[in-house]
Amino acid sequence: MPVASAGPGFELNATAASVLGFLLDGPRAGWDIATAIEGSLGDFWNVTRSQIYRELRTLTGHGLVEPGQTGARDRRPYTITADGRAAFLAWLDQEPGDDVVRIPLLLELFFADRLDDPTLGRHVAVHRARHAERLDRYRQLAALAEAAGDHRAHLLRYGILHEEAVLAWFDTLPWG
Amino acid sequence: MPVASAGPGFELNATAASVLGFLLDGPRAGWDIATAIEGSLGDFWNVTRSQIYRELRTLTGHGLVEPGQTGARDRRPYTITADGRAAFLAWLDQEPGDDVVRIPLLLELFFADRLDDPTLGRHVAVHRARHAERLDRYRQLAALAEAAGDHRAHLLRYGILHEEAVLAWFDTLPWG
DNA sequence: ACCGACATGTAATTCGTTACATGATTGC
DNA sequence: GCAATCATGTAACGAATTACATGTCGGT
């Protein structure tokens, strides 16, 4: 787990760091950050809205972000401070931690001999479809990103290669 | 998230379910379960020892497992009960939940333009090496499993295809 | 002017990680 | 028979998810 010290004695966690990262190009409310992450990194970097709000509170406490005027529906935009930028950069500098992965389908397959084939087949089919959808989505987005010279195309290429591998794997399974 | 009701009003979570699964073929202590998971599913199904001990406690409270005589070093083997088996099977029957994935390296790459190339290069190299190691390990294990007709070979094939894809992706990156 | 959908955030609960304590074993 | 390592578990803490509350907009 990567961990950075921002100023004396305070550890920035990876979730907080990603929040800071999304504030770099301008003030955003928790909601905005959530949808931005969801729409870009979402599949490789899991976060929930509540985490974001929590981190925004603690980041405020440490002076790394500053809340602005609250607007409609209590919408409160946060601005990153100079300290916040510094903390984010320091965090980025750390070596990234290990992947955290939980794939319930594989857990189920591990116990495949306890389960009947039709059920297994159904479950496999559902997940296969999800992955196929994702691959599609990634391909479309990658075309755009690649054309625009967006370095985020790297992530999409990751997604594409990963999803292709997963689909190839599905094809080797004896169910579905 | 997959969730099963074991008897009236009690939700088995995925971690608890995997613990039950590992008790199916005989009594085990928390430690044993931990090393068993680590050594088989570990890369696809993240759990820590402490979680296992906690779940064993709550499973005991619900009558799904029974602690045995405590041996040396407070070692306490647990046996799955009939209710436990039923709960596990019911849980398996549920549709598996979505993957939970957190890949700090990709988070970092998302912000690649804020970081200098040498640092990025180092980080990428470290992670590449880790994946290469894993691929090796999977290949060796898969050969054995495949030969033994172990259905767990499916998981290893997943690992292999995934790691191959990841390595191929590394080759497309402009760093390292 | 109401209803349904969406936006926004908070609180309660569950889950996961890290740090710790201690008891056996093994190798010298 | 001591030191180092491994096995085993617990407790304290931090992080993540779920459930909830409320407000606002858009349509009819």
Side-chain angles (χ1 to χ4, degrees):
Chain A
M1 299 298 107
V3 136
S5 57
F10 163 63
E11 302 291 348
L12 198 58
N13 71 32
T15 306
S18 58
V19 167
L20 282 180
F22 276 84
L23 288 177
L24 286 174
D25 10 83
R28 305 246 185 297
W31 180 272
D32 301 329
I33 300 175
T35 51
I37 294 186
E38 171 75 18
S40 53
L41 277 170
D43 295 329
F44 319 116
W45 188 255
N46 210 281
V47 276
T48 60
R49 267 186 305 126
S50 288
Q51 286 177 74
I52 293 173
Y53 291 119
R54 175 175 19 99
E55 296 306 340
L56 284 171
R57 269 180 248 132
T58 75
L59 288 170
T60 303
H62 289 281
L64 305 187
V65 303
E66 268 171 3
Q69 286 291 98
T70 133
R73 302 176 215 201
D74 287 349
R75 179 190 175 82
R76 199 173 316 154
Y78 287 83
T79 310
I80 189 169
T81 65
D83 279 6
R85 271 167 210 279
F88 176 71
L89 292 178
W91 182 86
L92 256 198
D93 223 59
Q94 305 277 120
E95 197 199 301
D98 277 322
D99 303 357
V100 173
V101 172
R102 280 192 146 212
I103 308 180
L105 181 65
L106 291 184
L107 175 58
E108 174 168 333
L109 253 48
F110 185 77
F111 294 113
D113 52 355
R114 312 283 174 168
L115 199 51
D116 57 295
D117 284 8
T119 305
L120 228 28
R122 263 186 295 112
H123 294 175
V124 163
V126 167
H127 283 259
R128 193 207 161 82
R130 273 182 213 169
H131 284 279
E133 256 173 50
R134 277 195 187 184
L135 177 53
D136 257 27
R137 180 155 51 85
Y138 292 153
R139 282 196 174 132
Q140 281 164 25
L141 293 172
L144 298 174
E146 214 82 65
D150 189 339
H151 69 287
R152 287 157 196 188
H154 295 320
L155 300 208
L156 291 166
R157 271 208 324 283
Y158 179 96
I160 291 171
L161 285 165
H162 170 71
E163 296 301 344
E164 285 174 347
V166 172
L167 289 175
W169 172 74
F170 272 116
D171 287 338
T172 71
L173 292 179
W175 310 279
Chain B
M1 301 292 109
V3 136
S5 56
F10 164 63
E11 301 290 348
L12 199 56
N13 72 32
T15 304
S18 58
V19 166
L20 282 180
F22 276 85
L23 288 177
L24 286 174
D25 9 84
R28 305 247 184 296
W31 180 273
D32 302 329
I33 299 174
T35 52
I37 294 186
E38 173 73 18
S40 53
L41 277 170
D43 296 329
F44 319 116
W45 187 254
N46 212 281
V47 276
T48 60
R49 268 186 305 126
S50 288
Q51 284 177 78
I52 293 173
Y53 291 120
R54 171 157 34 84
E55 296 305 340
L56 283 171
R57 270 179 249 133
T58 73
L59 288 170
T60 302
H62 289 283
L64 306 187
V65 302
E66 268 172 3
Q69 286 291 98
T70 132
R73 304 177 212 196
D74 287 351
R75 179 191 174 79
R76 199 173 317 153
Y78 286 83
T79 310
I80 190 170
T81 65
D83 277 6
R85 270 168 211 281
F88 176 69
L89 292 177
W91 182 86
L92 258 198
D93 222 59
Q94 305 277 119
E95 198 198 301
D98 276 323
D99 303 357
V100 173
V101 172
R102 279 191 148 214
I103 307 180
L105 181 66
L106 291 184
L107 175 59
E108 173 168 334
L109 254 47
F110 185 77
F111 295 113
D113 52 354
R114 311 284 174 166
L115 200 50
D116 57 297
D117 283 10
T119 305
L120 228 29
R122 264 186 296 112
H123 294 175
V124 163
V126 167
H127 282 260
R128 195 208 159 82
R130 273 182 212 166
H131 283 279
E133 259 174 47
R134 277 195 186 183
L135 177 53
D136 258 28
R137 180 156 51 84
Y138 292 154
R139 282 196 174 132
Q140 279 164 25
L141 293 172
L144 298 173
E146 214 82 66
D150 189 339
H151 70 286
R152 286 155 195 189
H154 295 319
L155 300 209
L156 290 165
R157 269 207 325 283
Y158 179 95
I160 290 172
L161 286 166
H162 170 70
E163 296 302 344
E164 285 174 347
V166 172
L167 288 175
W169 172 75
F170 272 116
D171 287 338
T172 71
L173 292 179
W175 309 280

